[in-house]
Amino acid sequence: MRALSILLALFLLTFTCTVLWADQPSDNEIDDRVRIKLAGDPDVKGNQLTVAVKDGVVTLRGKVESERAKNKASRLARKVKGVKNVVNELTISTQ
């Protein structure tokens, strides 16, 4: 009876872990979703930005026109499912 209980517990643990991990998007999926959000925003105009994702941490690089656009890029990236943190290395263009 004890062996059956242990087997049942292991099965439930394995099933739970599989469901939780399957729900997490990959870094490539996160990268795609962040790029789409940034490119579609009229303030950020993310076509010229570089996006890198490692273990759910998004790094943004490139130039934007204003501090507002820089902050909005971070907010948009944070809203993407699976993003754990955003490192904003965007600079403000001086043109």
Side-chain angles (χ1 to χ4, degrees):
M1 186 68 167
R2 183 176 176 139
L4 183 59
S5 296
I6 291 172
L7 284 174
L8 181 60
L10 286 174
F11 172 76
L12 290 174
L13 179 64
T14 303
F15 178 76
T16 303
C17 290
T18 303
V19 169
L20 290 176
W21 286 329
D23 198 32
Q24 281 290 21
S26 70
D27 285 345
N28 287 338
E29 291 171 317
I30 293 170
D31 184 282
D32 290 342
R33 292 175 187 169
V34 169
R35 286 177 192 274
I36 290 168
K37 275 204 179 275
L38 296 177
D41 188 86
D43 295 326
V44 176
K45 302 173 189 161
N47 294 348
Q48 303 299 317
L49 303 182
T50 301
V51 177
V53 183
K54 176 73 173 157
D55 299 327
V57 178
V58 175
T59 302
L60 303 174
R61 293 185 184 99
K63 292 185 179 184
V64 291
E65 295 178 357
S66 66
E67 188 70 31
R68 176 182 173 186
K70 179 178 178 176
N71 293 333
K72 191 170 184 184
S74 286
R75 283 195 312 273
L76 290 170
R78 278 190 188 93
K79 289 181 180 180
V80 172
K81 183 177 180 178
V83 173
K84 296 176 184 172
N85 193 19
V86 175
V87 178
N88 189 332
E89 296 179 357
L90 297 174
T91 58
I92 312 243
S93 69
T94 56
Q95 292 180 344

